[in-house]
Amino acid sequence: MNDFNEIKDTLVNLDEQRLLQLVKNALENGIPAGDILNKGLIAGMDIVGEKMENEDMFIPEVLMAAQIMGKGVEILKPLLGAEETSSRGSVLIGTVKGDLHDIGKNLVAMMMESAGLVVHNLGVDIAPEEFVRMIKEKNANILCLSALLTTTMPMMKQTIDAVVESGLRDQVKIMVGGAPVTQAFADDIGADAFASDAGSAAKGAKALIN
Ligand code: B1M
């Protein structure tokens, strides 16, 4: 659809005002918020990623695209994943140590909140011992780990190992996700669940609680 191409192009061209206008227009035209997110903003960010890989875009520009995307997501937020709010699980979510990517992780947190879960979003670059400390402090029953880099995926295993060593493994279900993460990897490192996107992460978390 034309709206999606324009949203993608505008994100890649870092035209914030136009992008936000296009997102609002798309909503006014009855396009579902989830489609605007997935087929517009996330698809646009994929192009940014390809350009980054080919050195057609550089870190400061990618960072700007990420910030602009975040503002687009803010507009969509109230309309995404409006589910019933019955579950009261306590979720701890963060991006593992060494990894600064947070857009996907924040989307997961947002979808989980709108699914009725209490979410403690720790941020990025979180060390295993910090996750362990926060599981205790927040009495969490689900731990969600995000990683976007192949080089930080092993930190997911180190985090799970730290949880095991702390004696808290029986208290929390652990879910992992992020672009390079797969179900096979999740199984390998001893996670309880894997989610490929924010919607299935929210559904998966509710299933883990029940
Ligand atoms: Co980075 N980066 N980056 N980057 N960056 C990628 C990931 C990369 C694929 C780009 C590329 O080369 N094509 C590549 C990784 C290659 C690899 O490891 N195989 C890469 C690289 C190399 C790097 C640097 C090393 C670059 C450098 O410095 N030379 C550097 C590393 C910094 C660090 O972390 N230590 C770096 C830096 C950055 C920025 C800071 C500039 C910026 C991040 C800004 C921010 O997040 N605030 C950035 C960005 C924006 C990207 C791309 C372009 C976009 C990521 C994104 O936000 N996608 C990315 C390329 C790409 O993915 N297309 C790239 C949109 C987001 C909605 O999707 O995060 O996949 P995603 O989240 C999804 C799912 O994965 C899932 O649900 C989300 C929503 O549906 N999900 C979970 C995510 N977390 C989950 C947790 C769960 C469940 C599901 O828990 C249960």
Side-chain angles (χ1 to χ4, degrees):
M1 176 182 266
N2 211 13
D3 297 275
F4 299 136
N5 284 338
E6 229 186 317
I7 288 175
K8 285 189 275 184
D9 290 346
T10 314
L11 182 61
V12 173
N13 294 330
L14 307 176
D15 187 344
E16 178 177 331
Q17 292 314 317
R18 178 82 188 131
L19 180 95
L20 300 184
Q21 193 53 55
L22 286 171
V23 168
K24 287 178 194 154
N25 291 351
L27 282 177
E28 278 163 21
N29 291 338
I31 298 175
D35 282 355
I36 302 172
L37 176 67
N38 291 310
K39 299 178 187 171
L41 296 176
I42 293 182
M45 198 48 106
D46 282 341
I47 301 173
V48 170
E50 283 159 25
K51 286 187 174 289
M52 181 178 173
E53 209 167 0
N54 300 331
E55 300 193 347
D56 289 334
M57 276 179 100
F58 297 96
I59 305 289
E61 293 162 300
V62 177
L63 210 46
M64 263 177 86
Q67 283 162 358
I68 295 171
M69 176 174 168
K71 291 186 185 171
V73 170
E74 280 302 313
I75 297 175
L76 300 175
K77 203 169 167 177
L79 300 157
L80 287 166
E83 284 186 23
E84 89 287 0
T85 56
S86 53
S87 304
R88 302 310 306 165
S90 168
V91 179
L92 209 60
I93 186 167
T95 305
V96 296
K97 188 173 176 191
D99 200 320
L100 303 175
H101 295 84
D102 69 356
I103 301 174
K105 184 259 302 166
N106 289 343
L107 277 174
V108 171
M110 196 180 86
M111 292 297 273
M112 287 185 172
E113 273 169 6
S114 42
L117 302 164
V118 177
V119 179
H120 307 283
N121 189 343
L122 302 185
V124 297
D125 194 20
I126 306 298
E129 54 275 19
E130 179 65 3
F131 278 116
V132 168
R133 194 177 72 76
M134 293 305 286
I135 291 170
K136 286 184 203 146
E137 189 175 313
K138 301 294 181 191
N139 201 19
N141 42 27
I142 299 191
L143 173 64
C144 289
L145 304 175
S146 180
L148 261 284
L149 299 169
T150 44
T151 50
T152 55
M153 286 167 71
M155 193 50 73
M156 291 181 144
K157 163 111 175 70
Q158 288 187 40
T159 305
I160 294 177
D161 289 348
V163 176
V164 172
E165 277 160 32
S166 71
L168 294 169
R169 185 65 181 94
D170 290 342
Q171 179 187 319
V172 280
K173 297 284 184 194
I174 302 181
M175 186 190 281
V176 292
V181 179
T182 60
Q183 179 69 59
F185 178 76
D187 294 342
D188 255 14
I189 63 171
D192 297 299
F194 158 73
S196 60
D197 58 68
S200 50
K203 277 197 194 119
K206 288 183 84 174
L208 284 175
I209 285 168
N210 299 325

